[in-house]
Coordinates of all heavy atoms in Angstrom, one line a residue:
A1 N 4.7 8.4 -15.1 CA 5.3 9.5 -14.2 C 4.0 10.0 -13.4 O 4.2 10.3 -12.2 CB 6.0 10.6 -14.9
R2 N 2.9 10.2 -14.1 CA 1.7 10.7 -13.4 C 1.3 9.8 -12.3 O 0.8 10.3 -11.3 CB 0.6 11.0 -14.4 CG 0.9 12.3 -15.2 CD -0.3 12.6 -16.1 NE 0.0 13.7 -16.9 CZ 0.4 13.7 -18.2 NH1 0.5 12.5 -18.9 NH2 0.7 14.8 -18.9
M3 N 1.4 8.5 -12.5 CA 0.9 7.5 -11.5 C 1.9 7.6 -10.3 O 1.3 7.6 -9.1 CB 0.9 6.1 -12.0 CG -0.2 5.9 -13.1 SD 0.0 4.3 -13.9 CE -0.2 3.2 -12.6
I4 N 3.1 7.8 -10.4 CA 4.0 7.9 -9.4 C 3.8 9.3 -8.7 O 3.7 9.4 -7.5 CB 5.5 7.9 -9.9 CG1 5.7 6.4 -10.4 CG2 6.5 8.2 -8.8 CD1 7.1 6.3 -11.2
G5 N 3.6 10.3 -9.4 CA 3.2 11.6 -8.8 C 1.9 11.5 -7.9 O 1.9 12.0 -6.9
A6 N 0.9 10.8 -8.4 CA -0.3 10.6 -7.7 C -0.1 9.9 -6.4 O -0.6 10.2 -5.3 CB -1.3 9.8 -8.5
A7 N 0.9 8.9 -6.3 CA 1.2 8.2 -5.1 C 1.9 9.1 -4.2 O 1.7 9.0 -3.0 CB 2.1 6.9 -5.5
L8 N 2.8 9.9 -4.7 CA 3.5 10.8 -3.8 C 2.6 11.8 -3.2 O 2.8 12.3 -2.1 CB 4.6 11.6 -4.6 CG 5.9 10.7 -4.9 CD1 6.7 11.4 -6.0 CD2 6.8 10.5 -3.7
A9 N 1.6 12.3 -3.9 CA 0.7 13.3 -3.5 C 0.0 12.8 -2.2 O -0.6 13.6 -1.4 CB -0.4 13.6 -4.6
K10 N -0.1 11.6 -2.0 CA -0.8 11.0 -0.8 C 0.1 10.9 0.4 O -0.4 10.5 1.5 CB -1.4 9.6 -1.2 CG -2.4 9.7 -2.2 CD -2.9 8.2 -2.6 CE -3.9 8.3 -3.7 NZ -4.2 6.9 -4.2
K11 N 1.3 11.2 0.3 CA 2.3 11.0 1.4 C 2.3 12.3 2.3 O 2.4 13.4 1.8 CB 3.7 10.6 0.9 CG 3.6 9.3 0.1 CD 3.1 8.2 0.9 CE 3.9 7.8 2.1 NZ 3.4 6.7 2.8
D12 N 2.5 12.1 3.6 CA 2.5 13.2 4.5 C 3.9 14.0 4.4 O 4.0 15.1 4.9 CB 2.2 12.8 5.9 CG 3.2 11.8 6.5 OD1 4.1 11.3 5.8 OD2 3.1 11.6 7.7
F13 N 4.9 13.4 3.9 CA 6.2 14.1 3.8 C 6.3 14.9 2.5 O 7.4 15.5 2.3 CB 7.3 13.1 3.9 CG 7.4 12.0 2.8 CD1 8.1 12.3 1.6 CD2 6.8 10.8 3.0 CE1 8.2 11.4 0.6 CE2 6.9 9.8 2.0 CZ 7.6 10.2 0.8
V14 N 5.3 14.9 1.6 CA 5.3 15.6 0.5 C 4.5 16.9 0.6 O 3.4 16.8 0.9 CB 4.8 14.8 -0.8 CG1 4.7 15.7 -2.1 CG2 5.7 13.6 -1.0
D15 N 5.1 18.0 0.4 CA 4.5 19.3 0.5 C 3.8 19.7 -0.7 O 2.6 20.1 -0.7 CB 5.5 20.4 1.0 CG 4.8 21.7 1.3 OD1 3.7 21.7 1.8 OD2 5.4 22.8 1.0
Y16 N 4.5 19.6 -1.8 CA 3.9 20.0 -3.1 C 4.7 19.3 -4.3 O 5.8 19.0 -4.2 CB 4.3 21.5 -3.3 CG 3.8 22.1 -4.6 CD1 2.5 22.4 -4.9 CD2 4.7 22.3 -5.7 CE1 2.0 22.9 -6.0 CE2 4.3 22.9 -6.8 CZ 2.9 23.2 -7.0 OH 2.6 23.7 -8.3
I17 N 3.9 18.9 -5.4 CA 4.4 18.3 -6.5 C 4.3 19.2 -7.7 O 3.2 19.7 -8.0 CB 3.7 16.9 -6.8 CG1 3.9 16.0 -5.6 CG2 4.3 16.3 -8.1 CD1 3.0 14.8 -5.8
L18 N 5.4 19.5 -8.4 CA 5.2 20.3 -9.5 C 4.4 19.6 -10.5 O 4.4 18.3 -10.6 CB 6.6 20.6 -10.2 CG 7.4 21.7 -9.6 CD1 7.7 21.6 -8.1 CD2 8.6 22.1 -10.4
P19 N 3.7 20.2 -11.5 CA 2.8 19.5 -12.4 C 3.7 18.5 -13.2 O 4.7 18.8 -13.7 CB 2.3 20.6 -13.3 CG 2.3 21.8 -12.4 CD 3.5 21.6 -11.5
V20 N 3.1 17.3 -13.3 CA 3.8 16.2 -14.0 C 3.4 16.3 -15.5 O 2.2 15.8 -15.8 CB 3.6 14.8 -13.4 CG1 4.3 13.8 -14.2 CG2 4.1 14.8 -12.0
E21 N 4.1 16.8 -16.4 CA 3.8 16.9 -17.8 C 4.6 16.1 -18.7 O 4.3 15.9 -19.9 CB 3.9 18.4 -18.2 CG 2.8 19.3 -17.4 CD 3.0 20.7 -17.7 OE1 4.0 21.1 -18.5 OE2 2.2 21.5 -17.1
T22 N 5.7 15.6 -18.2 CA 6.6 14.7 -19.0 C 7.0 13.5 -18.2 O 6.2 13.1 -17.3 CB 7.9 15.5 -19.4 OG1 8.6 15.8 -18.2 CG2 7.6 16.8 -20.1
N23 N 8.2 13.0 -18.3 CA 8.6 11.8 -17.5 C 9.3 12.3 -16.3 O 10.0 11.4 -15.6 CB 9.5 10.9 -18.4 CG 10.8 11.7 -18.9 OD1 10.8 12.8 -19.1 ND2 11.8 10.9 -19.1
I24 N 9.3 13.5 -15.9 CA 10.0 14.1 -14.8 C 9.1 14.4 -13.7 O 8.1 15.1 -13.9 CB 10.9 15.3 -15.2 CG1 12.0 15.0 -16.2 CG2 11.5 15.9 -14.0 CD1 12.6 16.2 -16.9
I25 N 9.4 14.0 -12.5 CA 8.6 14.2 -11.3 C 9.5 15.1 -10.3 O 10.6 14.6 -9.9 CB 8.2 12.9 -10.6 CG1 7.4 12.1 -11.6 CG2 7.3 13.2 -9.4 CD1 7.6 10.6 -11.3
I26 N 9.1 16.2 -9.9 CA 9.8 17.0 -8.9 C 8.9 17.4 -7.8 O 7.7 17.8 -8.1 CB 10.4 18.3 -9.5 CG1 11.4 17.9 -10.6 CG2 11.0 19.2 -8.4 CD1 12.0 19.2 -11.3
F27 N 9.2 17.0 -6.6 CA 8.4 17.3 -5.4 C 9.2 18.0 -4.3 O 10.4 17.8 -4.3 CB 7.6 16.1 -5.0 CG 8.5 14.9 -4.4 CD1 8.7 14.8 -3.1 CD2 9.0 14.0 -5.2 CE1 9.5 13.8 -2.5 CE2 9.7 13.0 -4.8 CZ 10.0 12.9 -3.4
I28 N 8.5 18.7 -3.5 CA 9.0 19.3 -2.3 C 8.6 18.6 -1.1 O 7.4 18.3 -0.9 CB 8.6 20.9 -2.3 CG1 9.0 21.5 -3.5 CG2 9.2 21.5 -1.0 CD1 8.4 22.9 -3.7
T29 N 9.7 18.3 -0.2 CA 9.4 17.6 1.0 C 9.0 18.5 2.1 O 9.3 19.7 2.1 CB 10.7 16.8 1.4 OG1 11.7 17.8 1.7 CG2 11.1 15.8 0.5
K30 N 8.3 17.9 3.1 CA 7.9 18.7 4.3 C 9.0 18.4 5.3 O 9.9 17.7 5.2 CB 6.6 18.2 4.9 CG 5.4 18.7 4.0 CD 4.1 18.2 4.7 CE 2.9 18.6 3.9 NZ 1.7 18.2 4.4
I31 N 8.8 18.9 6.6 CA 9.7 18.8 7.6 C 10.1 17.3 8.0 O 11.2 17.1 8.4 CB 9.2 19.5 8.9 CG1 9.2 21.1 8.5 CG2 10.0 19.3 10.1 CD1 8.4 21.9 9.5
K32 N 9.2 16.4 7.8 CA 9.4 15.0 8.2 C 10.7 14.5 7.7 O 11.5 13.8 8.4 CB 8.2 14.2 7.8 CG 8.4 12.7 8.3 CD 7.1 11.9 8.0 CE 7.2 10.5 8.5 NZ 6.0 9.8 8.2
Y33 N 11.0 14.7 6.4 CA 12.1 14.3 5.7 C 12.8 15.4 4.9 O 12.1 16.2 4.3 CB 11.9 13.1 4.8 CG 11.3 11.9 5.3 CD1 10.2 11.3 4.9 CD2 12.0 11.2 6.4 CE1 9.7 10.1 5.4 CE2 11.5 10.0 6.9 CZ 10.4 9.4 6.4 OH 9.9 8.3 6.9
T34 N 14.1 15.4 4.8 CA 14.8 16.2 3.8 C 14.8 15.5 2.5 O 14.6 14.3 2.5 CB 16.3 16.5 4.3 OG1 17.0 15.3 4.2 CG2 16.3 17.2 5.7
A35 N 15.2 16.2 1.5 CA 15.2 15.6 0.1 C 16.3 14.4 0.2 O 16.1 13.3 -0.4 CB 15.6 16.6 -1.0
D36 N 17.4 14.7 0.8 CA 18.5 13.6 0.9 C 17.9 12.4 1.6 O 18.3 11.3 1.2 CB 19.7 14.2 1.6 CG 20.6 15.0 0.7 OD1 20.6 14.8 -0.4 OD2 21.3 15.9 1.3
Q37 N 17.2 12.5 2.7 CA 16.6 11.4 3.4 C 15.7 10.6 2.5 O 15.7 9.4 2.5 CB 15.9 11.8 4.6 CG 16.9 12.4 5.7 CD 16.1 13.0 6.9 OE1 15.2 13.7 6.7 NE2 16.5 12.6 8.1
V38 N 14.9 11.3 1.7 CA 13.9 10.6 0.8 C 14.7 9.8 -0.2 O 14.5 8.6 -0.5 CB 12.9 11.5 0.2 CG1 12.2 10.9 -0.9 CG2 12.0 12.2 1.2
V39 N 15.8 10.5 -0.8 CA 16.5 9.9 -1.8 C 17.3 8.6 -1.3 O 17.3 7.6 -1.9 CB 17.6 10.9 -2.4 CG1 18.7 10.2 -3.2 CG2 16.9 12.0 -3.2
Q40 N 17.8 8.7 0.0 CA 18.4 7.6 0.6 C 17.4 6.4 0.8 O 17.8 5.2 0.6 CB 19.2 8.0 1.8 CG 20.4 8.7 1.6 CD 21.3 8.2 0.6 OE1 21.7 7.0 0.7 NE2 21.8 8.9 -0.3
K41 N 16.3 6.8 1.3 CA 15.2 5.7 1.5 C 14.9 5.0 0.2 O 14.7 3.7 0.1 CB 14.0 6.3 2.2 CG 14.3 6.6 3.7 CD 12.9 7.3 4.2 CE 13.2 7.6 5.6 NZ 13.4 6.4 6.5
L42 N 14.7 5.7 -0.9 CA 14.4 5.1 -2.1 C 15.6 4.3 -2.7 O 15.4 3.3 -3.3 CB 14.0 6.2 -3.2 CG 12.7 7.0 -2.9 CD1 12.6 8.2 -3.9 CD2 11.5 6.1 -3.0
K43 N 16.8 4.8 -2.5 CA 18.0 4.1 -3.0 C 18.1 2.7 -2.3 O 18.5 1.8 -3.0 CB 19.2 4.9 -2.7 CG 20.5 4.3 -3.2 CD 21.7 5.3 -3.1 CE 22.9 4.7 -3.7 NZ 24.1 5.7 -3.4
R44 N 17.7 2.6 -1.0 CA 17.8 1.4 -0.3 C 16.9 0.3 -0.9 O 17.0 -0.9 -0.8 CB 17.5 1.5 1.2 CG 18.6 2.1 1.9 CD 18.2 2.1 3.5 NE 18.8 3.4 4.0 CZ 18.1 4.3 4.6 NH1 16.9 4.1 4.8 NH2 18.6 5.5 5.0
K45 N 15.9 0.9 -1.7 CA 14.9 0.0 -2.4 C 15.2 -0.1 -3.9 O 14.4 -0.5 -4.7 CB 13.5 0.5 -2.2 CG 13.1 0.5 -0.8 CD 13.0 -0.9 -0.2 CE 12.5 -0.9 1.3 NZ 12.2 -2.2 1.8
N46 N 16.4 0.3 -4.3 CA 16.9 0.3 -5.6 C 16.1 1.2 -6.6 O 15.9 0.9 -7.8 CB 16.9 -1.1 -6.3 CG 17.9 -2.0 -5.5 OD1 19.0 -1.5 -5.3 ND2 17.5 -3.2 -5.2
I47 N 15.6 2.3 -6.0 CA 14.9 3.4 -6.9 C 15.8 4.6 -6.8 O 16.1 5.1 -5.7 CB 13.5 3.6 -6.3 CG1 12.6 2.4 -6.4 CG2 12.9 4.8 -7.1 CD1 11.4 2.4 -5.7
L48 N 16.3 5.1 -7.9 CA 17.1 6.1 -8.0 C 16.3 7.5 -8.1 O 15.5 7.6 -8.9 CB 18.1 6.0 -9.2 CG 19.0 4.7 -9.1 CD1 19.9 4.7 -10.3 CD2 19.8 4.7 -7.8
A49 N 16.8 8.5 -7.3 CA 16.3 9.7 -7.3 C 17.4 10.7 -7.1 O 18.5 10.3 -6.7 CB 15.1 9.9 -6.3
Y50 N 17.2 12.0 -7.2 CA 18.2 13.0 -7.0 C 17.7 14.2 -6.2 O 16.6 14.7 -6.5 CB 18.7 13.5 -8.4 CG 19.8 14.4 -8.3 CD1 21.1 14.0 -7.9 CD2 19.6 15.8 -8.7 CE1 22.1 15.0 -7.9 CE2 20.7 16.6 -8.5 CZ 21.9 16.3 -8.2 OH 23.0 17.2 -8.1
A51 N 18.4 14.5 -5.2 CA 18.0 15.7 -4.4 C 18.6 16.9 -5.1 O 19.8 17.1 -5.2 CB 18.6 15.6 -3.0
I52 N 17.7 17.8 -5.6 CA 18.2 19.0 -6.4 C 18.2 20.2 -5.5 O 18.7 21.2 -5.9 CB 17.3 19.2 -7.6 CG1 15.8 19.4 -7.2 CG2 17.4 18.1 -8.6 CD1 15.0 19.7 -8.5
S53 N 17.8 20.0 -4.3 CA 17.9 21.1 -3.2 C 17.8 20.4 -1.9 O 17.5 19.2 -1.9 CB 17.0 22.3 -3.4 OG 15.7 22.0 -3.1
K54 N 17.8 21.2 -0.9 CA 17.5 20.7 0.4 C 16.2 20.0 0.7 O 15.9 19.0 1.3 CB 17.7 21.8 1.5 CG 17.6 21.3 2.9 CD 17.9 22.4 3.9 CE 17.7 21.9 5.3 NZ 18.0 23.0 6.4
E55 N 15.2 20.5 -0.1 CA 13.8 20.1 0.0 C 13.1 19.5 -1.3 O 12.1 19.2 -1.3 CB 12.9 21.0 0.7 CG 12.7 22.3 0.0 CD 13.8 23.4 0.2 OE1 14.4 23.4 1.3 OE2 14.1 24.1 -0.7
K56 N 13.9 19.6 -2.3 CA 13.3 19.1 -3.7 C 13.9 17.8 -4.2 O 15.2 17.7 -4.1 CB 13.6 20.2 -4.8 CG 12.7 21.4 -4.7 CD 12.9 22.3 -5.8 CE 12.1 23.6 -5.7 NZ 12.3 24.6 -6.8
V57 N 13.1 16.9 -4.6 CA 13.6 15.6 -5.1 C 13.1 15.5 -6.6 O 12.0 15.9 -7.0 CB 12.9 14.4 -4.3 CG1 13.4 13.1 -4.8 CG2 13.3 14.6 -2.8
R58 N 14.0 14.9 -7.4 CA 13.7 14.7 -8.8 C 13.7 13.3 -9.1 O 14.6 12.6 -8.8 CB 14.7 15.5 -9.7 CG 14.5 15.3 -11.1 CD 15.6 16.2 -11.9 NE 15.4 16.2 -13.3 CZ 16.2 15.5 -14.1 NH1 17.1 14.8 -13.6 NH2 16.0 15.6 -15.4
L59 N 12.7 12.8 -9.8 CA 12.6 11.4 -10.3 C 12.4 11.4 -11.8 O 11.7 12.3 -12.2 CB 11.4 10.6 -9.6 CG 11.5 10.2 -8.2 CD1 10.1 9.9 -7.6 CD2 12.4 9.0 -8.0
V60 N 12.9 10.5 -12.5 CA 12.8 10.5 -13.9 C 12.4 9.2 -14.4 O 13.2 8.2 -14.0 CB 14.0 11.0 -14.7 CG1 13.8 10.9 -16.2 CG2 14.4 12.4 -14.3
T61 N 11.4 8.9 -15.1 CA 11.1 7.7 -15.8 C 11.6 7.7 -17.2 O 11.8 8.8 -17.8 CB 9.6 7.4 -15.8 OG1 9.0 8.4 -16.5 CG2 9.0 7.3 -14.4
H62 N 12.0 6.5 -17.6 CA 12.6 6.4 -19.0 C 11.8 5.5 -19.8 O 10.9 4.8 -19.3 CB 14.0 5.8 -18.9 CG 15.0 6.7 -18.2 ND1 15.5 7.8 -18.9 CD2 15.4 6.8 -16.9 CE1 16.3 8.5 -18.0 NE2 16.2 7.9 -16.8
L63 N 12.0 5.5 -21.1 CA 11.2 4.7 -22.0 C 11.2 3.2 -21.8 O 10.3 2.5 -22.0 CB 11.6 4.9 -23.5 CG 11.3 6.3 -24.1 CD1 11.9 6.4 -25.4 CD2 9.8 6.5 -24.1
D64 N 12.4 2.7 -21.2 CA 12.5 1.3 -20.9 C 11.8 0.8 -19.6 O 11.9 -0.3 -19.2 CB 14.0 0.8 -21.0 CG 14.8 1.6 -20.0 OD1 14.4 2.7 -19.5 OD2 16.0 1.2 -19.8
I65 N 11.2 1.8 -18.9 CA 10.4 1.4 -17.6 C 9.2 0.7 -18.0 O 8.4 1.2 -18.7 CB 10.2 2.7 -16.8 CG1 11.5 3.4 -16.5 CG2 9.3 2.3 -15.5 CD1 12.3 2.7 -15.5
R66 N 9.1 -0.5 -17.3 CA 7.9 -1.3 -17.6 C 6.8 -1.0 -16.7 O 7.1 -0.5 -15.5 CB 8.3 -2.8 -17.6 CG 9.3 -3.2 -18.7 CD 9.6 -4.7 -18.6 NE 10.0 -5.2 -17.4 CZ 11.2 -5.2 -16.8 NH1 12.2 -4.6 -17.5 NH2 11.4 -5.8 -15.6
P67 N 5.6 -1.3 -16.9 CA 4.4 -1.0 -15.9 C 4.7 -1.7 -14.6 O 4.4 -1.1 -13.6 CB 3.3 -1.6 -16.6 CG 3.6 -1.7 -18.1 CD 5.1 -1.9 -18.2
E68 N 5.3 -2.9 -14.5 CA 5.6 -3.5 -13.2 C 6.6 -2.7 -12.4 O 6.6 -2.7 -11.1 CB 5.9 -5.0 -13.3 CG 7.1 -5.3 -14.2 CD 6.8 -5.5 -15.7 OE1 5.7 -5.2 -16.1 OE2 7.6 -6.1 -16.3
M69 N 7.5 -2.1 -13.1 CA 8.5 -1.2 -12.4 C 7.8 0.0 -11.8 O 8.2 0.4 -10.7 CB 9.7 -0.9 -13.4 CG 10.4 -2.1 -13.8 SD 11.4 -1.7 -15.3 CE 12.9 -1.3 -14.4
V70 N 6.8 0.6 -12.6 CA 6.1 1.7 -12.1 C 5.3 1.3 -10.8 O 5.4 2.0 -9.8 CB 5.3 2.3 -13.1 CG1 4.3 3.3 -12.5 CG2 6.0 2.9 -14.3
Q71 N 4.6 0.2 -10.9 CA 3.9 -0.3 -9.8 C 4.8 -0.6 -8.5 O 4.4 -0.3 -7.4 CB 3.1 -1.6 -10.1 CG 2.1 -2.0 -9.0 CD 1.2 -1.0 -8.6 OE1 0.5 -0.3 -9.5 NE2 1.0 -0.6 -7.3
R72 N 5.9 -1.2 -8.7 CA 6.9 -1.4 -7.6 C 7.3 -0.1 -7.0 O 7.4 0.0 -5.8 CB 8.1 -2.2 -8.1 CG 9.1 -2.5 -7.0 CD 10.3 -3.3 -7.4 NE 11.2 -3.4 -6.3 CZ 11.9 -2.3 -5.8 NH1 11.9 -1.2 -6.4 NH2 12.8 -2.5 -4.8
T73 N 7.5 0.9 -7.8 CA 7.9 2.2 -7.3 C 6.8 2.8 -6.4 O 7.0 3.3 -5.3 CB 8.3 3.2 -8.4 OG1 9.4 2.6 -9.2 CG2 8.7 4.5 -7.9
I74 N 5.6 2.6 -6.9 CA 4.4 3.2 -6.1 C 4.3 2.4 -4.8 O 4.0 3.0 -3.8 CB 3.1 3.0 -7.1 CG1 3.2 4.0 -8.2 CG2 1.9 3.2 -6.2 CD1 2.2 3.8 -9.3
D75 N 4.5 1.1 -4.9 CA 4.4 0.3 -3.6 C 5.5 0.6 -2.6 O 5.2 0.8 -1.4 CB 4.5 -1.2 -3.9 CG 3.4 -1.8 -4.7 OD1 2.3 -1.2 -4.8 OD2 3.5 -2.9 -5.3
V76 N 6.7 1.0 -3.1 CA 7.7 1.4 -2.2 C 7.3 2.9 -1.6 O 7.4 3.0 -0.4 CB 9.1 1.6 -2.9 CG1 10.1 2.3 -2.1 CG2 9.6 0.1 -3.2
I77 N 6.8 3.7 -2.4 CA 6.4 5.0 -2.0 C 5.3 4.9 -0.9 O 5.3 5.6 0.1 CB 6.0 5.9 -3.1 CG1 7.2 6.3 -4.0 CG2 5.2 7.1 -2.6 CD1 6.9 6.9 -5.3
K78 N 4.4 4.0 -1.1 CA 3.3 3.8 -0.2 C 3.9 3.4 1.2 O 3.1 3.8 2.3 CB 2.4 2.8 -0.7 CG 1.4 3.2 -1.8 CD 0.5 2.1 -2.2 CE -0.4 2.5 -3.3 NZ -1.3 1.4 -3.7
H79 N 4.9 2.8 1.3 CA 5.4 2.2 2.5 C 6.5 3.1 3.2 O 7.1 2.8 4.2 CB 6.0 0.8 2.4 CG 4.9 -0.1 2.1 ND1 4.5 -0.5 0.9 CD2 4.0 -0.7 3.0 CE1 3.4 -1.4 1.0 NE2 3.1 -1.5 2.3
L80 N 6.8 4.3 2.6 CA 7.8 5.2 3.2 C 7.1 6.0 4.4 O 6.0 6.3 4.4 CB 8.2 6.2 2.1 CG 9.2 5.8 1.0 CD1 9.5 6.9 0.1 CD2 10.4 5.1 1.6

């Protein structure tokens, strides 16, 4: 989760990331995208996320997530 959070921190559409202390990543979007827009862009790449407000997105990693899945998620984020 921390690696995904670090990738998100480099994106211009991310305003703030709550501290990543568990398997949950919550971040606040900037004006470029709403939370719903980010969720839809990720969904098109088969990455599930949830808009918990107009500007907050929640991602959750699970125990069955393999390192290559984390890397793929990071790669998708890099290209958003």
